[in-house]
């Protein structure tokens, strides 16, 4: 069986080899070489987060406490907390126990686990618990996240879920057997997280409270509800934090997640792009072997002129591009959100009957995936057009670059062989791999729901007939949500656009600068008459073959994902 490249070990091995090749050709201090070194660190520090989700009081924290400390009864995570004190908590292994409280602005505060547990989480984004627990150590690259219940406050849940939309390797959906059913709010949340990850495991907990026959009936009904939503067979694991085998059951569940997909999306394509950048630098040197020093100087000047032309075109397109995002983009996204809400009026009516919190969370579950997907779809189309406009004529035919832009927002699938051999593919690869960060821009857009959902909930009239409630939702609530989005979204779209423009310029300039670094070194050697052309060509050919072999193997694995 062939060894996969798309593992931490495989990627680090290839990146280190690329670094050695750059050093061999006296390019060890180039920007590409520095980026390769940074990417090695990024791969080494890679984590796949598995989110424990479920309703408030479903028993998530109790199961995690059992997973971490067996049945000793130690409460590492607080159980039976109020909705207002819920916060996402990441669990990592460390020889020493301590906590990090992460603020909304990203700043970090270190404290003891007990201090974190007793602190007010208001103003914090998440907690990180570092614990000397063997089961956490054995999970290696997997970080478990204890999430606030999706039936907790609208603000708390939106804040928690938005930060993990693009970084979750999978979900463990914990369902309490207490209720005996998979309620509407839980069904809505399951429909939502399907948009973010296809890897969802299901656990029925508190099973010790039911007779075997009753438990089987409950489990069968809930399993049927889940399968109706996801449209495929699922396994529903039955357990309880009080069961003697609960620790082993949860370890087996967590260790079954494969972080390879997320590793490919987050680091595989960046690593591939750096291999191609390395290949590009060596190719530039090889092509320049036949040039004299004055011709190399001329080529360097031509490359600098391309940078100036790119900057001018981006500036010319800036206002037009940002205006398009703020107007057409906003309307596209708003329209998708409105359609989604109107298609689910009956669900909203049922949720409204359950109270303002249930209604607010249901609205959020419907809106979040639409905001994420609609924004990504529009960015895909406009990015492709922009990239073609600003690069055409400067870097040759760039249509294929635009065609590949859509791969970014779909998890960067079908990359690799489909355009690796194209002219200027080095530029395309770098831009596309770099622009993966744009998917992270969606999170703040999703978070803006926090700003207006509580206001909308306040408009609901309590204790009215279902017909009038439906009319209020259709004629007042949905139009108000749409209008609020229409007013607030342009600011976020403009930020996405500005970051996109900067990314394009930085990515292309990196490739031009790298090319110049490569041939400047050759020019200097030629001036000093320190280069044997035949030996240099032979060494470059060998290195290019080594890089090509690594890229070919990586492409095979990327195409599998």
């Amino acid at each position: 069986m062939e060894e996969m490249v798309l593992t931490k070990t495989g990627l680090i091995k290839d990146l280190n080899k690329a670094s050695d090749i750059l050093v061999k050709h006296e390019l060890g201090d180039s920007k590409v070489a520095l980026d390769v070194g940074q990417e090695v660190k990024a791969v080494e520090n890679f984590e796949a987060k598995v989110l424990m989700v479920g309703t408030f009081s479903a028993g998530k924290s109790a199961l995690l406490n059992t997973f971490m400390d067996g049945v000793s009864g130690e409460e590492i995570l607080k159980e039976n907390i109020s909705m207002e004190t819920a916060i996402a908590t990441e669990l990592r292994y460390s020889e020493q126990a301590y906590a990090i409280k992460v603020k909304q602005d990203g700043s970090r505060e270190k404290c003891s686990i007990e201090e974190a547990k007793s602190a007010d989480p208001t103003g914090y984004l998440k907690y990180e618990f570092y614990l000397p627990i063997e089961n956490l150590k054995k999970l290696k690259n997997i970080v478990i996240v204890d999430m606030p219940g999706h039936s907790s406050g609208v603000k708390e849940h939106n804040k928690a879920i938005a930060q993990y939309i693009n970084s979750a390797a999978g979900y463990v959906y914990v369902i309490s057997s207490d209720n005996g059913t998979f309620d509407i709010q839980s069904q809505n949340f399951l429909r939502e997280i399907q948009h973010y990850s296809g890897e969802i495991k299901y656990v029925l907990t508190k099973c010790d409270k039911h007779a075997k026959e009753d438990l089987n009936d409950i489990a069968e009904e809930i399993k049927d509800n889940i399968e109706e939503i996801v449209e495929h067979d699922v396994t529903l694991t039955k357990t309880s934090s009080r069961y003697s085998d609960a620790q082993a059951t949860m370890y087996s569940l967590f260790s079954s997640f494969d972080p390879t997909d997320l590793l490919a999306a987050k680091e595989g394509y960046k690593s591939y792009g750096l291999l191609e950048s390395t290949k590009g630098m060596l190719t530039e040197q090889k092509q320049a072997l036949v040039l004299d020093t004055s011709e190399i100087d001329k080529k360097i000047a031509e490359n600098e002129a391309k940078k100036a032309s790119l900057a001018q075109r981006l500036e010319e397109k800036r206002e037009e591009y940002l205006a398009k995002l703020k107007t057409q983009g906003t309307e596209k996204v708003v329209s998708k959100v409105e359609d989604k809400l109107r298609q689910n009026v009956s669900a909203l009516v049922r949720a409204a009957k359950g109270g303002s919190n249930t209604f607010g969370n249901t609205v959020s579950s419907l809106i979040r995936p639409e905001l994420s997907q609609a924004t990504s779809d529009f960015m895909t189309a406009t990015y492709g057009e922009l990239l073609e406009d600003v690069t055409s004529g400067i870097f040759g035919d760039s249509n294929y670059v635009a065609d590949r832009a859509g791969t970014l927002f779909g998890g960067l699938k079908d990359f690799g062989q489909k355009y690796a051999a194209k002219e200027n593919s080095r530029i395309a690869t770098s831009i596309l791999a770099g622009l993966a960060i744009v998917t992270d821009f969606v999170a703040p857009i999703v978070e803006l729901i926090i700003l207006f959902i509580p206001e909308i909930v306040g408009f609901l009239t309590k204790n009215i007939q279902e017909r009038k409630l439906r009319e209020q939702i259709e004629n007042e609530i949905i139009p108000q949500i749409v209008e609020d989005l229409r007013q607030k979204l342009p600011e976020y779209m403009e930020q996405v656009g500005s970051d996109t423009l900067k990314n394009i310029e930085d990515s292309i300039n990196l490739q031009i600068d790298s090319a110049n670094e490569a041939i400047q070194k050759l020019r200097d050697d030629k001036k000093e008459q320190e280069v044997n052309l035949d030996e240099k060509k032979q060494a470059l050919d060998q290195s290019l073959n080594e890089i090509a072999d690594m890229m070919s193997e990586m492409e095979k694995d990327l195409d599998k994902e």
Side-chain angles (χ1 to χ4, degrees):
M1 183 176 177
E2 283 188 42
E3 181 181 350
M4 282 192 67
V5 175
L6 281 184
T7 62
K8 290 180 76 168
T9 302
L11 288 177
I12 290 169
K13 178 182 176 183
D14 281 357
L15 290 167
N16 282 333
K17 189 171 183 179
S19 179
D20 291 342
I21 287 172
L22 288 167
V23 170
K24 175 182 176 181
H25 294 281
E26 300 182 80
L27 298 170
D29 58 352
S30 65
K31 180 65 167 63
V32 170
L34 293 175
D35 286 350
V36 168
Q38 291 175 353
E39 182 59 16
V40 168
K41 292 179 181 177
V43 174
E44 287 174 340
N45 296 326
F46 169 80
E47 298 173 333
K49 296 182 175 70
V50 173
L51 277 53
M52 285 279 281
V53 298
T55 60
F56 181 73
S57 294
K60 301 185 301 297
S61 299
L63 271 182
L64 284 173
N65 283 332
T66 299
F67 163 74
M68 290 188 289
D69 204 56
V71 290
S72 71
E74 182 179 350
E75 191 177 279
I76 297 169
L77 295 169
K78 290 174 68 175
E79 300 176 25
N80 301 316
I81 60 176
S82 68
M83 292 184 185
E84 292 73 21
T85 58
I87 187 169
T89 305
E90 298 179 0
L91 306 173
R92 292 179 171 83
Y93 172 78
S94 172
E95 292 183 358
Q96 300 295 323
Y98 64 93
I100 299 289
K101 299 189 293 182
V102 183
K103 288 188 173 182
Q104 297 284 354
D105 62 5
S107 60
R108 299 161 66 83
E109 297 176 359
K110 187 175 181 179
C111 64
S112 70
I113 299 290
E114 289 305 316
E115 285 175 318
K117 285 162 64 174
S118 60
D120 181 356
T122 304
Y124 291 92
L125 184 65
K126 63 181 179 181
Y127 289 169
E128 298 171 0
F129 282 8
Y130 294 81
L131 299 156
I133 292 172
E134 190 63 23
N135 270 350
L136 293 177
K137 183 179 182 179
K138 288 194 295 184
L139 288 177
K140 294 182 179 178
N141 300 326
I142 292 175
V143 173
I144 303 168
V145 187
D146 186 22
M147 294 290 286
H150 61 69
S151 54
S152 57
V154 176
K155 181 175 180 179
E156 289 75 15
H157 185 57
N158 271 296
K159 180 176 68 175
I161 197 68
Q163 64 183 298
Y164 294 109
I165 282 177
N166 295 308
S167 64
Y171 295 80
V172 174
Y173 204 133
V174 179
I175 305 155
S176 172
S177 60
D178 277 353
N179 298 331
T181 60
F182 194 52
D183 63 32
I184 296 298
Q185 195 169 168
S186 297
Q187 293 177 33
N188 288 335
F189 185 63
L190 176 56
R191 290 188 179 96
E192 175 187 355
I193 62 175
Q194 283 188 101
H195 290 264
Y196 311 141
S197 173
E199 192 75 11
I200 305 173
K201 317 276 187 180
Y202 304 90
V203 176
L204 186 66
T205 190
K206 302 184 182 181
C207 293
D208 59 304
K209 297 184 177 182
H210 303 275
K212 184 176 181 180
E213 186 176 333
D214 293 338
L215 180 62
N216 288 338
D217 290 341
I218 292 170
E220 191 64 32
E221 181 180 346
I222 291 174
K223 185 173 182 290
D224 288 345
N225 288 156
I226 293 170
E227 290 177 346
E228 185 177 346
I229 293 168
V230 300
E231 298 181 344
H232 61 77
D233 293 339
V234 302
T235 299
L236 181 61
T237 301
K238 294 179 282 190
T239 189
S240 167
S241 60
R242 300 177 185 276
Y243 284 178
S244 60
D245 64 349
Q247 186 180 54
T249 297
M250 295 309 296
Y251 176 77
S252 176
L253 201 66
F254 289 132
S255 59
S256 68
F257 283 93
D258 182 359
T260 303
D261 283 351
L262 190 61
L263 179 64
K266 290 292 182 183
E267 307 302 340
Y269 297 95
K270 292 180 189 176
S271 298
Y272 182 92
L274 287 168
L275 291 183
E276 192 156 36
S277 294
T278 301
K279 176 184 174 184
M281 293 187 78
L282 302 184
T283 301
E284 292 284 352
Q285 277 200 348
K286 181 181 176 181
Q287 291 174 347
L289 283 174
V290 298
L291 304 178
D292 60 32
T293 55
S294 63
E295 289 172 321
I296 292 176
D297 285 334
K298 181 180 178 182
K299 187 168 184 180
I300 291 171
E302 289 173 352
N303 285 340
E304 290 298 325
K306 287 181 179 181
K307 284 174 62 176
S309 296
L310 175 69
Q312 181 179 348
R313 286 200 188 177
L314 283 171
E315 191 57 38
E316 290 170 354
K317 291 289 181 181
R318 172 176 291 276
E319 286 190 22
E320 176 187 340
Y321 176 63
L322 294 181
K324 188 173 186 178
L325 290 181
K326 291 165 66 176
T327 54
Q328 295 180 31
T330 294
E331 286 307 311
K332 288 271 188 183
V333 174
V334 167
S335 175
K336 289 284 187 181
V337 169
E338 182 173 12
D339 287 348
K340 185 71 172 181
L341 291 172
R342 294 202 178 279
Q343 290 165 10
N344 288 274
V345 170
S346 295
L348 291 173
V349 170
R350 289 194 297 271
K353 290 179 179 180
S356 59
N357 199 54
T358 301
F359 180 76
N361 276 312
T362 300
V363 172
S364 296
S365 290
L366 291 170
I367 287 179
R368 272 191 302 259
E370 290 302 315
L371 275 175
S372 176
Q373 189 62 51
T375 304
S376 296
D377 287 347
F378 190 78
M379 286 300 300
T380 299
T382 55
Y383 174 77
E385 294 169 5
L386 175 67
L387 195 58
E388 183 177 344
D389 282 348
V390 299
T391 60
S392 180
I394 302 177
F395 303 100
D397 182 9
S398 58
N399 288 341
Y400 74 93
V401 179
D403 290 342
R404 297 273 62 81
T407 62
L408 281 169
F409 303 96
L412 294 169
K413 306 292 184 185
D414 302 323
F415 186 85
Q417 296 172 341
K418 292 190 178 178
Y419 71 95
K422 297 279 190 177
E423 182 188 4
N424 291 324
S425 62
R426 177 162 49 91
I427 290 174
T429 303
S430 175
I431 296 170
L432 292 173
L435 196 64
I437 60 170
V438 171
T439 59
D440 295 332
F441 303 156
V442 174
I445 292 175
V446 173
E447 286 186 43
L448 73 83
I449 302 171
I450 297 170
L451 300 176
F452 63 81
I453 289 296
E455 300 171 10
I456 298 300
V457 168
F459 294 152
L460 275 177
T461 304
K462 298 178 181 178
N463 302 319
I464 61 173
Q465 295 177 342
E466 181 171 325
R467 180 181 59 80
K468 290 186 177 181
L469 182 59
R470 176 179 289 271
E471 289 175 357
Q472 185 183 27
I473 290 171
E474 288 180 329
N475 300 327
E476 298 177 38
I477 302 297
I478 292 178
Q480 186 62 50
I481 292 172
V482 168
E483 184 55 31
D484 279 348
L485 263 181
R486 187 173 281 117
Q487 293 297 318
K488 294 181 171 74
L489 198 53
E491 175 186 347
Y492 289 82
M493 297 296 281
E494 183 174 22
Q495 182 60 52
V496 171
S498 296
D499 289 335
T500 302
L501 289 165
K502 185 177 186 306
N503 180 267
I504 289 175
E505 185 169 18
D506 289 350
S507 298
I508 296 179
N509 283 345
L510 169 63
Q511 299 309 315
I512 295 173
D513 290 341
S514 298
N516 280 350
E517 283 182 286
I519 59 178
Q520 280 169 351
K521 174 60 185 167
L522 181 64
R523 177 199 61 190
D524 294 343
D525 287 345
K526 281 192 170 188
K527 283 182 177 179
E528 299 296 326
Q529 296 183 335
E530 293 179 353
V531 57
N532 182 307
L533 295 183
D534 289 338
E535 289 181 1
K536 181 67 174 176
K537 181 178 182 301
Q538 186 176 1
L540 284 168
D541 282 339
Q542 180 182 345
S543 295
L544 283 166
N545 287 335
E546 291 174 358
I547 292 289
D549 288 344
M550 287 190 287
M551 289 174 65
S552 177
E553 291 303 310
M554 197 176 291
E555 285 167 10
K556 291 176 185 177
D557 286 349
L558 289 171
D559 279 347
K560 292 176 188 175
E561 296 305 317

